[in-house]
Amino acid sequence: MIKGIAVAIAAMAIMTALPATATTDRTAPRKTLEAFASEAELAGLLDSWKEEAKRRRDERRREAQAGLSSQAAPAAPAPVAAAKEAEATSDAVTNVQHAGVDEGGIVKVHGNHLVVLRRGRLFTVAIGGGRLAPVDSIDAFGPGVDPRGTWYDEMLIAGDTIVVIGFSYARGGTEIGLFRISRAGTLAYKGTYHLRSNDYYSSRNYASRLIGTKLVFYTPLHLNPYAADPYASFPAMRKWHAGATAAEFRRIAPATRIYRSDEPLDPFAGVALHSVSVCDLAAPELECESTAVLAPAGRVFYVSPGSVFVWTTQWRRGPEHAAPAAAVFRIPLDGSAPSALKVAGSPIDQFSFLEGADGMLNVLVRANGRGEGMWAAEASAGDLALLRVPLASFSDGRDAAPDDAYRALPRPRGHALQSRYVGGFLLYGAGTGWRRPQPTRESEVYAVDYARDARTHTLPLPHAVDRIEALGRDAVVIGSDGRALHFTSVRLAPMPVAAYRYTRPDAAQGETRSHGFFYKPEREDVGLLGLPIIDGGEPGPRHLRKASAAVLYLRNQGLALSELGALDAHPAQANDGCRASCVDWYGNSRPLFLHGRLFALMGYEIVEGRIDRRPTGEERIVETRRASFAPGAPAVAH
């Protein structure tokens, strides 16, 4: 067992053994977490925190008056930053983690129209009947809303309702804008709602999910024991209107929907309400309900088709070997009571998780992971292990995952860990993340046969591992060697092997987000893949201010990868009058495959291409036309 994780496991008292027999529902927990019985019980806990905060404050005041060295105040939860640190079916266009669980992104499809969220505005572009023409645009915020201090980064569509999700530092939480789209692609504003939350931004994860008409948010809320009104940090919602006040927020998580485990909590070391809110977009008026778990502040979250899993970590000061205490909470989306399990280590990001069809939860953990807050996933460190536990082993939080649920894994070379579950394998490796590509001649990707014998296969590579994606039942590993961009296809059955490598000279991937890639299968073992690219050696954060230079397309033919060509950007230099979200936090370029057609979204341009087959049998992409939907630009450039 690996150091760090092994220490934490040994220190845990396993209160109850895992069940020897399956229940009727093999994923159902034997017990669930306990909610507060009443508002009075919750108030009693908060009052005890306030009394302790007063005692500590008075003690520091007496020490200061006596001329003694004042002890530093215990660290309260970090305040919300004033701004983000840098100015996610056949017609699906989003590279999602789970089929049927859509993720908030910058481009979606509604009938015969593309809908694009770009720099604080919504745009529609007609693609029906062979067209490619801008139709309409509208601010991504409501009339009268001051967009300053707000980031509008994610969009989802349910029926004829477009949802724009933003985070407002000015108004203190998640901003939900609702818009109506007609069959003709015209846009109309419906309303704006605010959901109280702290900053949840991540360099990898997305804040929102859509399952049917259910809009799902995970929003952490840090509790400050020194606050005059602790309830001001509880899940709440209001409908925005001119002159709206903080007093109009209505709590949506009563005490009886706030849960806790047996773990002691230290509010002076950081405690949060880890809140899952579900909103019904089919209702005439948007209504949301929250379920919250009271736990330490560090977190990584993952959304499966039926639950939100939140992994929390209590960071401790001390020697490096003193691993932090951790727990994973399973919060069902049907509103039933959460369950939990004591664990060790920390996942890297949402792709560290997989809720399998076999009733097991699989999690790649690292001894010193830092959660998934801003760039924390790129800074994780320590030994690795695969945790594999039955969902039925979750309970009231008193039980711990046993030692034999963890399997030690080798540590890859590289800076930023990447992972993905494909078929029956967990693949992982490391690359440069948001840094500038580094010279790399020796690297590796590991393939863990997690569902069978957990055997780990090592596949040597001459490039870093900056992205791992599924190609149907197999995979592709993408990474830089410092100047060139490599695509290595991996055959996963019966034994993982590197099958083929395509190299694009003087190139790097233009998007670090998972949504930047897309694979379109045409039949078994055959399909098209696309990825935005930039010049070799340029760093990942370039996409924050510039569109990709091109979108590159490859054909997969039985894992042999061949270049079809690229559609190049011709970015306009005109001032677009941007008022909000003027940095492309979620990127700006995407490959799109729709209605048998092939497009590239790059900034304010959509370029269409077609695949021509030459007499030699070679296939190449030929640009057919492009349209600019930039504010004030001609409808069709050529």
Side-chain angles (χ1 to χ4, degrees):
M1 181 57 63
I2 59 178
K3 180 185 175 185
I5 292 180
V7 172
I9 295 171
M12 291 182 179
I14 300 179
M15 308 297 293
T16 308
L18 295 179
T21 58
T23 58
T24 302
D25 177 359
R26 63 180 180 176
T27 71
R30 294 163 297 156
K31 299 177 182 178
T32 57
L33 295 176
E34 180 182 354
F36 287 89
S38 64
E39 293 292 339
E41 183 183 9
L42 174 60
L45 175 65
L46 298 176
D47 287 344
S48 69
W49 289 357
K50 290 179 69 173
E51 290 174 5
E52 175 62 14
K54 181 179 183 301
R55 186 195 68 76
R56 295 189 181 202
R57 188 183 295 113
D58 290 345
E59 182 178 342
R60 290 197 304 274
R61 185 179 298 116
R62 288 193 298 270
E63 290 177 347
Q65 291 173 348
L68 300 176
S69 298
S70 175
Q71 180 180 352
V80 174
K84 215 180 289 182
E85 283 188 52
E87 277 223 271
T89 66
S90 60
D91 283 342
V93 293
T94 305
N95 179 24
V96 298
Q97 186 173 7
H98 276 287
V101 182
D102 200 7
E103 301 168 3
I106 63 168
V107 56
K108 301 290 179 182
V109 182
H110 180 267
N112 289 320
H113 296 86
L114 287 172
V115 184
V116 182
L117 175 63
R118 171 83 172 136
R119 292 169 64 85
R121 296 183 179 98
L122 282 171
F123 302 87
T124 56
V125 178
I127 57 172
R131 299 175 65 202
L132 182 63
V135 175
D136 201 5
S137 65
I138 193 172
D139 285 335
F141 44 89
V145 172
D146 184 348
R148 290 176 297 178
T150 306
W151 296 82
Y152 301 97
D153 291 310
E154 299 186 21
M155 171 186 55
L156 291 157
I157 300 180
D160 293 335
T161 298
I162 299 174
V163 185
V164 174
I165 297 98
F167 187 84
S168 175
Y169 293 100
R171 287 173 285 280
T174 301
E175 188 163 301
I176 307 169
L178 302 183
F179 299 82
R180 182 178 293 107
I181 180 171
S182 71
R183 293 185 63 184
T186 58
L187 300 168
Y189 172 72
K190 293 175 64 175
T192 297
Y193 299 80
H194 290 130
L195 191 65
R196 187 183 288 157
S197 71
N198 291 131
D199 188 346
Y200 45 70
Y201 278 112
S202 163
S203 56
R204 299 193 182 188
N205 210 341
Y206 307 96
S208 61
R209 304 292 192 275
L210 183 66
I211 304 173
T213 61
K214 301 294 185 183
L215 182 61
V216 180
F217 295 98
Y218 162 73
T219 51
L221 289 152
H222 302 291
L223 300 184
N224 185 349
Y226 295 98
D229 179 13
Y231 292 102
S233 295
F234 277 57
M237 187 177 179
R238 73 175 178 189
K239 185 173 184 179
W240 182 86
H241 61 87
T245 66
E248 295 177 52
F249 276 102
R250 178 179 58 83
R251 272 184 62 189
I252 56 175
T256 53
R257 290 181 66 92
I258 298 176
Y259 295 83
R260 51 188 171 170
S261 69
D262 68 322
E263 283 291 319
L265 293 172
D266 181 0
F268 303 95
V271 170
L273 278 169
H274 298 276
S275 305
V276 172
S277 300
V278 180
C279 312
D280 188 1
L281 292 174
E285 187 76 17
L286 189 68
E287 295 285 344
C288 303
E289 290 186 343
S290 288
T291 300
V293 172
L294 197 59
R299 86 290 187 275
V300 180
F301 82 97
Y302 154 75
V303 183
S304 75
S307 302
V308 177
F309 291 84
V310 181
W311 188 294
T312 66
T313 307
Q314 177 67 68
W315 299 108
R316 295 170 175 166
R317 293 187 178 93
E320 183 179 350
H321 68 269
V328 58
F329 297 92
R330 182 189 186 190
I331 305 174
L333 293 174
D334 63 5
S336 56
S339 53
L341 194 65
K342 287 183 173 68
V343 287
S346 176
I348 309 304
D349 56 23
Q350 72 272 28
F351 296 113
S352 298
F353 292 81
L354 177 68
E355 179 187 334
D358 57 357
M360 303 291 287
L361 178 68
N362 307 276
V363 191
L364 176 65
V365 296
R366 199 155 202 181
N368 297 304
R370 302 295 299 177
E372 64 177 6
M374 202 79 80
W375 291 290
E378 282 74 20
S380 67
D383 295 320
L384 291 165
L386 175 64
L387 170 65
R388 181 168 163 82
V389 292
L391 290 167
S393 66
F394 280 67
S395 66
D396 59 2
R398 298 178 186 273
D399 298 348
D403 287 19
D404 61 7
Y406 297 84
R407 180 174 291 271
L409 298 175
R411 292 173 63 169
R413 289 170 287 187
H415 166 65
L417 198 70
Q418 305 288 335
S419 65
R420 192 64 61 96
Y421 294 87
V422 182
F425 290 86
L426 162 67
L427 291 95
Y428 71 95
T432 55
W434 283 58
R435 294 181 176 180
R436 188 178 298 278
Q438 300 297 309
T440 303
R441 295 294 181 267
E442 294 183 355
S443 182
E444 58 280 313
V445 64
Y446 296 98
V448 184
D449 191 349
Y450 68 87
R452 296 191 299 177
D453 56 10
R455 181 180 174 187
T456 300
H457 305 265
T458 305
L459 282 63
L461 298 172
H463 59 84
V465 179
D466 296 315
R467 180 183 291 271
I468 303 172
E469 301 286 357
L471 292 183
R473 62 188 179 185
D474 297 302
V476 61
V477 180
I478 303 170
S480 173
D481 65 8
R483 290 303 304 178
L485 185 63
H486 300 265
F487 295 70
T488 299
S489 60
V490 177
R491 179 172 284 109
L492 292 175
M495 181 175 291
V497 294
Y500 190 88
R501 180 170 302 112
Y502 162 79
T503 300
R504 173 80 175 197
D506 192 27
Q509 64 169 352
E511 294 275 358
T512 62
R513 291 277 178 179
S514 62
H515 291 177
F517 174 93
F518 201 88
Y519 177 65
K520 179 71 171 179
E522 296 178 329
R523 56 187 184 275
E524 187 175 0
D525 298 332
V526 177
L528 302 174
L529 62 96
L531 179 71
I533 59 172
I534 52 180
D535 292 338
E538 293 196 70
R542 180 188 185 280
H543 74 254
L544 295 173
R545 294 195 176 276
K546 296 181 180 179
S548 294
V551 175
L552 175 68
Y553 296 89
L554 305 181
R555 177 169 292 287
N556 168 37
Q557 184 82 39
L559 296 183
L561 303 177
S562 58
E563 181 181 333
L564 297 176
L567 296 175
D568 298 328
H570 296 167
Q573 301 299 318
N575 187 341
D576 63 0
C578 181
R579 298 174 59 199
S581 299
C582 299
V583 170
D584 297 321
W585 179 241
Y586 283 10
N588 49 46
S589 303
R590 300 287 186 269
L592 305 171
F593 304 93
L594 282 166
H595 305 254
R597 297 162 69 188
L598 183 151
F599 303 93
L601 168 66
M602 292 173 285
Y604 283 119
E605 290 184 298
I606 296 181
V607 185
E608 183 172 4
R610 71 169 186 268
I611 300 175
D612 281 354
R613 181 179 292 273
R614 298 179 179 179
T616 60
E618 180 186 13
E619 292 182 314
R620 299 298 294 176
I621 285 183
V622 177
E623 179 183 326
T624 59
R625 55 185 160 174
R626 63 178 59 218
S628 171
F629 54 90
V636 179
H638 57 272

